[in-house]
């Protein structure tokens, strides 16, 4: 046995996708010398907003830092689920802005920086994501359950929305197979959807979301809704109002209250807190399945991240006090840039995106490599964009 065989690394990790952002940084680094004296390379290859967190975020940290060390708790572990003050503020936010219950017995919140949702999936079960996908969702499944657990569905190319007819067919076939086998091996256990979409830039209309939610419930499948871009619903497709122009008594970004739906939220985008690594998972309902899911996630939390950083949670609490209006004002400043990008890619034969998040996707002419095109754009024009291949969608 040679040394390589003795000191091997995980085969699952080796089969996992390489991080998209790292691959893009390698392309940028290769051509950086060409642009050092021309203003540098302009990167559109990572979803980072240009603004900083609100003043209230740093004020909260400053106030906490002034507490005498003998009385401060900044250095201590936080509760697994999150600090009480932040949990209370999040319950208010979830009620007013997302239409979820603020009753602690009916809405379970876990403040986290880590991947908890695979506590829902056992060995041999499968997870659905839709291409073009958010690469880290795929990587998490590959790392913890292997390629065999990954079931990749298509989007509808006319509007960039996940193909729910495909999902229905898959779930029906899956149900028949499980009934004939009499066991859960290979069962689709979880469906994950990002809305508004990364990388599609599409905000899914309310009626399509309702269909998705009902479909997952019918077949007994967890639905994970990644709401990271909740503040970037430009067309207001998620308002809890049949007339999207009616502002009164409408919820800005409606989320499902059903017990099989888990909602993910982040402070990274709207509040510009990407480096603080803090977000939260919300589990609805007071049923045994909801409580059990929460308890298993707490177990994962306590083992991997242990807890979200106290410093990050205090800053998040301060950021929340700035309010949704602060975020929306910042988001509105992206409109001219979004319009400019849309105009620039108009020659492409097919374009999706612009209704949500901060992304567009354009279809390249047949036979043109998206990876070579991305490299060419950096080298010749100093502009970095992500090739569709990195999100499971070559040719875009």
């Amino acid at each position: 046995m040679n040394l390589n065989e003795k000191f091997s690394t995980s085969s699952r990790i080796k089969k996992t996708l390489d991080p998209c952002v790292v691959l893009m940084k390698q392309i940028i680094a290769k051509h950086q010398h060409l642009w050092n004296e021309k203003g540098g390379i302009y990167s559109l290859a990572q979803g980072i907003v240009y603004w900083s967190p609100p003043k209230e975020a740093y004020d909260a940290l400053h106030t906490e830092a002034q507490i005498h060390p003998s009385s401060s708790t900044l250095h201590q572990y936080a509760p697994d689920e999150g600090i009480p003050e932040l949990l209370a503020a999040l319950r208010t936010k979830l009620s007013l802005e997302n239409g979820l219950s603020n009753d602690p017995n009916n809405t379970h919140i876990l403040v986290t920086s880590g991947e908890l949702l695979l506590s829902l999936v056992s060995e041999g079960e499968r997870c659905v994501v839709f291409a073009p996908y958010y690469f880290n969702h795929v990587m998490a499944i590959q790392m913890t359950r292997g390629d065999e657990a990954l079931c990749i569905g298509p989007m509808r190319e006319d509007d960039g929305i996940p193909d729910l007819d495909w999902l229905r067919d898959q779930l029906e076939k899956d149900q028949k197979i499980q009934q004939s086998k009499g066991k859960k091996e290979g069962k689709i256990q979880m469906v994950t959807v990002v809305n508004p979409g990364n990388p599609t830039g599409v905000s899914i209309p309310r009626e399509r979301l309702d269909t998705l939610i009902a479909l997952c419930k019918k077949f007994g499948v967890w639905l994970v809704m990644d709401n990271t871009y909740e503040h970037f619903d430009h067309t207001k497709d998620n308002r809890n109002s049949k007339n999207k122009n009616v502002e009164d008594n409408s919820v800005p970004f409606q989320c499902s209250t059903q017990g099989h739906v888990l909602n993910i939220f982040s402070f990274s985008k709207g509040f510009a807190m990407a480096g603080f690594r803090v977000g939260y998972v919300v589990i609805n309902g007071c049923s045994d399945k909801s409580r059990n899911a929460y308890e298993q996630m707490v177990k994962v939390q306590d083992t991997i991240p242990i807890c979200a950083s106290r410093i990050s949670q205090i800053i998040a609490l301060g950021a929340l006090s700035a309010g949704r209006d602060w975020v929306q004002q910042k988001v509105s400043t992206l409109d001219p840039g979004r319009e400019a990008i849309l105009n620039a890619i108009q020659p492409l034969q097919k374009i999706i995106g612009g209704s949500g998040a901060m992304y567009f996707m354009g279809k390249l002419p047949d036979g043109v490599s998206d990876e070579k095109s991305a490299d060419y754009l950096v080298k010749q024009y100093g502009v970095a964009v992500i090739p569709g291949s990195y999100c499971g969608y070559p040719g875009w």
Side-chain angles (χ1 to χ4, degrees):
M1 182 180 290
N2 61 39
L3 284 178
N4 288 334
E5 291 173 331
K6 287 182 178 179
F7 299 101
S8 62
T9 53
S10 167
S11 58
R12 274 191 181 173
I13 303 299
K14 286 189 283 191
K15 291 177 182 178
T16 296
L17 293 175
D18 291 317
C20 168
V21 174
V22 173
L23 293 174
M24 286 308 305
K25 287 181 178 178
Q26 290 171 355
I27 294 175
I28 291 170
K30 183 170 68 171
H31 301 300
Q32 186 71 57
H33 67 283
L34 300 173
W35 294 93
N36 286 337
E37 297 180 4
K38 301 177 184 179
I41 292 170
Y42 190 80
S43 179
L44 298 172
Q46 190 171 14
I48 304 173
V49 297
Y50 73 87
W51 57 86
S52 299
K55 180 178 180 296
E56 291 87 342
Y58 290 110
D59 286 347
L61 178 60
H62 179 76
T63 299
E64 191 70 22
Q66 300 309 303
I67 297 175
H68 191 278
S70 63
S71 302
S72 175
T73 59
L74 276 180
H75 60 290
Q76 296 179 2
Y77 288 120
D80 283 357
E81 66 276 14
I83 60 174
E85 302 91 333
L86 179 56
L87 292 174
L90 287 174
R91 292 191 194 287
T92 299
K93 177 263 180 187
L94 290 167
S95 174
L96 296 176
E97 300 181 18
N98 305 114
L100 301 179
S101 172
N102 60 5
D103 181 352
N105 297 314
N106 201 47
T107 302
H108 308 285
I109 305 172
L110 199 57
V111 179
T112 184
S113 61
E115 176 56 64
L116 306 179
L117 295 173
L118 290 173
S119 56
L120 305 175
V121 182
S122 299
E123 291 288 344
E125 295 177 338
R126 294 187 295 157
C127 311
V128 171
V129 298
F130 290 90
Y133 46 66
Y134 173 51
F135 50 90
N136 280 144
H137 284 164
V138 169
M139 293 170 70
I141 295 167
Q142 290 176 316
M143 284 182 180
T144 58
R145 293 294 178 264
D147 268 333
E148 60 275 13
L150 194 57
C151 185
I152 299 177
M155 73 168 178
R156 304 188 316 187
E157 287 197 358
D158 59 330
D159 56 15
I161 293 173
D163 189 337
L164 301 187
D165 291 332
W166 173 90
L167 179 61
R168 182 181 290 104
D169 289 344
Q170 292 297 309
L171 291 172
E172 287 175 350
K173 291 175 184 176
D174 189 67
Q175 185 180 65
K176 290 177 182 177
I177 291 172
Q178 302 310 315
Q179 289 172 347
S180 65
K181 286 184 176 180
K183 56 183 179 180
K184 289 180 65 178
E185 185 176 349
K187 177 186 184 298
I188 293 175
Q189 180 72 359
M190 183 174 80
V191 174
T192 300
V193 172
V194 186
N195 183 53
N198 176 5
T200 62
V202 172
S203 188
I204 303 174
R206 184 81 250 153
E207 61 272 15
R208 299 296 296 172
L209 288 172
D210 290 341
T211 300
L212 172 63
I213 291 164
L215 196 55
C216 290
K217 183 175 183 178
K218 177 181 178 181
F219 288 94
V221 175
W222 292 107
L223 173 60
V224 177
M225 292 300 306
D226 184 340
N227 306 302
T228 293
Y229 295 91
E230 61 166 317
H231 299 102
F232 299 78
D233 180 22
H234 308 304
T235 51
K236 298 181 173 58
D237 280 327
N238 282 274
R239 277 199 182 278
N240 186 19
S241 172
K242 292 190 176 178
N243 181 355
K244 289 185 287 186
N245 295 318
V246 175
E247 301 288 333
D248 294 339
N249 300 316
S250 62
V251 173
F253 191 85
Q254 178 68 45
C255 294
S256 175
T257 61
Q258 297 204 34
H260 69 292
V261 180
L262 287 83
N263 288 293
I264 302 175
F265 300 90
S266 174
F267 285 93
S268 292
K269 305 304 179 183
F271 286 107
M273 290 177 51
F276 289 106
R277 311 312 305 140
V278 62
Y280 50 107
V281 180
V282 180
I283 306 167
N284 301 308
C286 53
S287 66
D288 288 345
K289 71 176 180 183
S290 298
R291 283 195 298 270
N292 181 57
Y294 174 74
E295 289 167 0
Q296 302 316 309
M297 286 185 192
V298 171
K299 192 185 298 182
V300 175
Q301 172 100 321
D302 193 75
T303 304
I304 301 177
I306 300 180
C307 61
S309 158
R310 272 190 183 271
I311 291 175
S312 296
Q313 292 191 62
I314 288 166
I315 293 172
L317 180 59
L320 274 180
S321 70
R324 193 178 189 92
D325 287 345
W326 180 89
V327 179
Q328 295 303 162
Q329 186 277 324
K330 296 292 186 182
V331 171
S332 68
T333 65
L334 299 177
D335 291 347
R338 196 166 64 252
E339 187 67 25
I341 292 172
L342 181 59
N343 289 336
I345 62 176
Q346 279 302 318
L348 296 176
Q349 63 186 63
K350 193 175 291 185
I351 299 168
I352 61 171
S355 62
M358 53 182 79
Y359 310 109
F360 287 97
M361 292 190 70
K363 189 177 189 307
L364 296 171
D366 291 344
V368 175
S369 165
D370 55 291
E371 294 186 63
K372 289 181 179 178
S373 296
D375 188 278
Y376 179 82
L377 281 173
V378 175
K379 181 179 180 179
Q380 297 296 327
Y381 296 98
V383 176
V385 299
I386 296 176
S389 294
Y390 290 2
C391 303
Y393 223 73
W396 286 65

